Amino acid sequence: MSSESRPIITMTDITKVYTVGGEEVRALDGANLTIREGEFVSIIGPSGSGKSTLMNIIGCLDVADSGEYILDGQSIEQYSEEELARIRNKKIGFIFQNFNLLSRMSALANVELPLIYQRIHMGDRREQAAQALARVGLTDRSNHKPTELSGGQQQRVAIARALATNPAILLADEPTGNLDSKTGEDILALFHELHRAGNTIVLITHDPKIASQAQRRINIMDGRVTEVGA
Amino acid sequence: MIVQSIKMAWEAITSNKMRSFLTMLGIIIGVMALVVLVSLVNGATGAVTSEITALGNDMVTVNIRDDKGSPMRLEDLDELAVLDAVGEAAPSGSMNATAKFGYSDVTVSLYGTTPAYYNVQGLHMKYGRFLKTADVENASYVTVLAYNTAEELFGKADVVGEQLTIGGRSFLVVGVLEEDTSLFASMIGGYSAYAPFTVESRMADEPYVTALSVSPGGNTDETESQVESFMLARFNQDEDAFRLMNMSSISDAMSTVTGTLSLLLGGIAAISLLVGGIGIMNIMLVSVTERTKEIGIRKAIGAGKKSIMMQFLIEALMVSLMGCLLGLALSWLILEVATVIAKTIAFSMSIGVVLLAVGFSSIIGLIFGLYPANKAANKHPIEALRYEG
């Protein structure tokens, strides 16, 4: 993917300040970032670097105090919680370190969940969810509950859930953090496969080895973003 | 979305059956209290009211309390009977006396009256005949017994032609009334016998008419007003000289009492429903806290405030309505059992009380679900995701 492709994420001078115990913490201090369609980008930084804040803002779970953030051509600024939820639903596919599946529901039902919030009808929803599960190779585990699945399988279900809505970006936060190295590699291989299929992937990690798997690495340190390599 | 919310609520409720059931218990008991109490009162009222109507006939009774020096005689009743709104008029003198036959004896209420009494009171003969005009004119010592009186004294009902003594005097039994199986009779109890007015008044040493009953010639209200003006004219416009009563005023008074009673019982039941609602709120609050992570996940993947709100609200509503349904089922069972036990009264749930229970439960579910649901909907997604329960 070259620089000609359309930018999915454009951040300009993003600042986010938290007040912790009466003291101001500048979690993001004028961060600038561009991620284009079809890219596989890793964001790496130690804990306390502002990594989580950046992820929350990219994922529209939080809004910046100042600066401009354009996601898929849409400026994310003064939106209500309800509208942010809709944007997350349509444009973001979250993949979490601890999978975050709903334990009461089957794998298929978990994958269906974001589609429910899109008000897609039952038949279509089932089909889309089943397709997403097929893409991560778990068709035969559709009716298993998360507790009946291995960690790797659970993460695959989570990836299928993220894929189900065809989001603008897949946003993965330490997706291999809770997995053994062999399973972690499998998951990373799946990311590569999804990348080849044209998905835009943002992978957030503290592990340089995992970060290096991405096409492009972005460093974050003390709330500032710097590019590493190309 | 609503269908989905219902499904989600169902999953949440069934995933912790014991807790859900215990939460419902408050509503179950509340609904049961409401429906059973109100239905019992309504059933009893209905039964008594229909008894009064049946008994009832719609006669008007008059008790003379103060004769003002011009007491009523038997002949005066003829003047009353010619009024156009009056059907028949009969005196009813009464006294207690001991009736004896052989070795058995029983205390009876002996009513002294005339043949008109039969129609006014709506009596029915089982054996023999009722009193005749000749019996009154001749002051014959003949008597008509109530069915239970005959059985008590003679050990059988068909006793026409037998002799017995009442108040030490010998009477010939000329008739036996049909058995009175009404609730009213079993409530009041006692044994009765009827004799000519002329005989009873002599025995009671009360030659004048102190009580009488009148059957209406048409409209009961009209009868009442005509009888009243007749009596007023008779007693110099003194309202305190007599008391006038009819069965409809008794049943009116009764329905007022039972209406108040069912309101009171319903109120108590409503309080227990309220307590049930607080139970729901309590558990929903626990549930919202326990499921903080779930709320975070749902929000991250795109559930808005409204969706979360709806999910928890429907869950509270569903717990409440399921409790209501179970409560109604149990109430039905209890009322069926009560009907079997009570024998004479058929208790049933009225549509009104069922709707009241469902309506009240829904409102309770919504009101007490609102706060927890709002709390769930307002959780911040990032903090909710971070929550480790």
Side-chain angles (χ1 to χ4, degrees):
Chain A
M1 296 295 142
S2 65
S3 54
E4 292 123 58
S5 64
R6 189 169 69 95
I8 292 281
I9 291 171
T10 315
M11 283 187 161
T12 324
D13 274 337
I14 292 288
T15 309
K16 183 79 187 175
V17 180
Y18 292 110
T19 317
V20 183
E23 214 169 310
E24 276 198 356
V25 178
R26 302 184 78 79
L28 285 178
D29 192 4
N32 291 294
L33 179 69
T34 305
I35 294 169
R36 293 176 182 278
E37 188 169 31
E39 276 193 302
F40 184 0
V41 178
S42 64
I43 295 174
I44 182 168
S47 66
S49 58
K51 197 173 46 168
S52 300
T53 308
L54 184 64
M55 188 203 95
N56 288 340
I57 291 177
I58 291 175
C60 299
L61 286 166
D62 208 348
V63 280
D65 292 336
S66 68
E68 194 183 39
Y69 171 31
I70 296 171
L71 170 66
D72 199 18
Q74 197 172 359
S75 176
I76 310 296
E77 271 167 81
Q78 294 306 313
Y79 282 116
S80 69
E81 257 198 73
E82 196 74 39
E83 288 161 328
L84 282 177
R86 210 168 305 138
I87 292 167
R88 286 198 292 274
N89 187 224
K90 285 215 175 98
K91 311 224 156 163
I92 314 279
F94 280 104
I95 297 149
F96 300 95
Q97 177 174 359
N98 51 5
F99 326 133
N100 278 345
L101 298 172
L102 295 185
S103 54
R104 280 201 312 269
M105 301 179 179
S106 69
L108 187 68
N110 265 290
V111 178
E112 272 184 62
L113 211 52
L115 300 172
I116 287 174
Y117 292 118
Q118 283 190 357
R119 291 175 206 233
I120 291 175
H121 282 291
M122 176 105 131
D124 298 342
R125 204 169 69 212
R126 277 275 143 83
E127 204 182 309
Q128 259 176 273
Q131 276 172 11
L133 269 181
R135 283 182 75 181
V136 299
L138 279 181
T139 303
D140 56 337
R141 293 284 187 276
S142 294
N143 293 320
H144 286 58
K145 299 234 164 119
T147 45
E148 299 159 352
L149 298 172
S150 71
Q153 287 170 330
Q154 287 186 56
Q155 193 58 299
R156 279 167 189 272
V157 173
I159 292 170
R161 180 177 66 188
L163 282 172
T165 55
N166 274 320
I169 59 164
L170 290 176
L171 187 56
D173 179 18
E174 303 276 10
T176 58
N178 278 15
L179 301 172
D180 61 66
S181 55
K182 167 77 184 65
T183 318
E185 273 166 35
D186 291 347
I187 293 295
L188 283 173
L190 179 58
F191 276 122
H192 281 298
E193 201 183 309
L194 294 171
H195 174 223
R196 276 195 297 279
N199 288 287
T200 311
I201 299 171
V202 179
L203 192 156
I204 293 155
T205 183
H206 69 279
D207 185 345
K209 260 200 327 224
I210 291 165
S212 65
Q213 297 239 358
Q215 185 187 28
R216 187 151 75 95
R217 272 173 70 183
I218 292 167
N219 251 347
I220 179 161
M221 184 65 86
D222 297 331
R224 287 175 179 279
V225 173
T226 47
E227 196 113 348
V228 181
Chain B
M1 200 63 226
I2 289 196
V3 178
Q4 280 309 318
S5 299
I6 290 172
K7 265 192 197 165
M8 287 174 194
W10 177 254
E11 275 165 12
I13 289 168
T14 49
S15 74
N16 203 336
K17 292 190 185 69
M18 189 60 183
R19 182 203 277 185
S20 301
F21 174 72
L22 288 175
T23 312
M24 279 173 209
L25 207 54
I27 298 290
I28 293 175
I29 291 172
V31 165
M32 243 164 59
L34 180 77
V35 173
V36 170
L37 290 178
V38 171
S39 299
L40 284 181
V41 170
N42 282 349
T45 311
V48 172
T49 309
S50 67
E51 286 287 343
I52 288 175
T53 319
L55 185 88
N57 37 67
D58 18 16
M59 64 178 175
V60 175
T61 60
V62 183
N63 284 296
I64 295 156
R65 302 152 118 190
D66 178 0
D67 60 23
K68 300 279 170 191
S70 71
M72 278 187 86
R73 294 168 193 281
L74 196 53
E75 298 79 55
D76 296 347
L77 290 186
D78 297 339
E79 287 172 43
L80 194 58
V82 297
L83 296 175
D84 54 338
V86 172
E88 291 177 88
S92 65
S94 68
M95 63 179 287
N96 288 325
T98 306
K100 278 189 184 165
F101 174 76
Y103 293 108
S104 61
D105 62 276
V106 62
T107 303
V108 296
S109 300
L110 182 66
Y111 295 100
T113 187
T114 60
Y117 194 79
Y118 186 71
N119 286 331
V120 172
Q121 296 279 350
L123 302 176
H124 297 282
M125 296 310 299
K126 178 81 177 171
Y127 303 110
R129 60 169 176 86
F130 197 67
L131 304 171
K132 283 182 174 171
T133 314
D135 299 330
V136 180
E137 283 170 355
N138 303 334
S140 319
Y141 282 82
V142 294
T143 183
V144 172
L145 300 179
Y147 190 91
N148 63 340
T149 314
E151 287 227 303
E152 182 68 20
L153 273 175
F154 296 91
K156 59 176 182 170
D158 189 3
V159 295
V160 174
E162 299 277 0
Q163 291 277 342
L164 79 165
T165 63
I166 299 174
R169 293 173 192 264
S170 182
F171 280 81
L172 171 70
V173 179
V174 293
V176 176
L177 294 177
E178 256 181 19
E179 189 172 14
D180 190 351
T181 52
S182 70
L183 180 73
F184 213 63
S186 59
M187 262 160 57
I188 293 169
Y191 301 98
S192 11
Y194 305 86
F197 180 77
T198 42
V199 172
E200 186 270 340
S201 64
R202 197 178 301 160
M203 286 169 68
D205 198 19
E206 173 57 76
Y208 307 115
V209 176
T210 55
L212 56 111
S213 44
V214 174
S215 66
N219 186 317
T220 312
D221 291 336
E222 219 168 287
T223 310
E224 199 173 334
S225 68
Q226 277 197 8
V227 171
E228 188 169 12
S229 48
F230 176 86
M231 298 304 285
L232 281 171
R234 183 72 175 65
F235 293 112
N236 301 324
Q237 306 300 319
D238 186 346
E239 285 175 8
D240 296 329
F242 61 92
R243 216 174 67 145
L244 210 118
M245 239 177 13
N246 74 24
M247 282 301 174
S248 67
S249 65
I250 294 178
S251 61
D252 282 353
M254 204 149 147
S255 64
T256 310
V257 169
T258 52
T260 313
L261 194 65
S262 62
L263 209 66
L264 185 80
L265 293 176
I268 292 170
I271 289 171
S272 63
L273 265 178
L274 210 66
V275 174
I278 293 167
I280 290 183
M281 178 152 86
N282 192 12
I283 290 300
M284 288 302 294
L285 282 173
V286 171
S287 174
V288 166
T289 305
E290 276 182 356
R291 282 149 71 189
T292 299
K293 185 100 182 180
E294 175 190 331
I295 294 165
I297 295 169
R298 286 179 186 274
K299 284 200 157 188
I301 62 171
K305 267 187 180 188
K306 282 183 208 154
S307 309
I308 301 287
M309 180 100 182
M310 177 100 96
Q311 184 191 340
F312 281 91
L313 207 54
I314 286 189
E315 198 175 313
L317 189 64
M318 210 149 137
V319 167
S320 170
L321 282 179
M322 282 171 74
C324 175
L325 228 61
L326 283 173
L328 286 176
L330 280 173
S331 306
W332 178 80
L333 210 74
I334 290 173
L335 290 175
E336 287 292 301
V337 171
T339 302
V340 171
I341 291 171
K343 283 180 191 140
T344 49
I345 307 174
F347 295 106
S348 63
M349 288 194 269
S350 70
I351 297 290
V353 81
V354 170
L355 289 180
L356 188 75
V358 173
F360 214 79
S361 304
S362 314
I363 290 170
I364 292 262
L366 281 179
I367 287 177
F368 288 100
L370 212 57
Y371 176 65
N374 195 48
K375 205 174 160 187
N378 280 326
K379 281 194 187 291
H380 194 280
I382 296 172
E383 279 151 31
L385 271 173
R386 219 177 274 150
Y387 181 87
E388 294 295 338

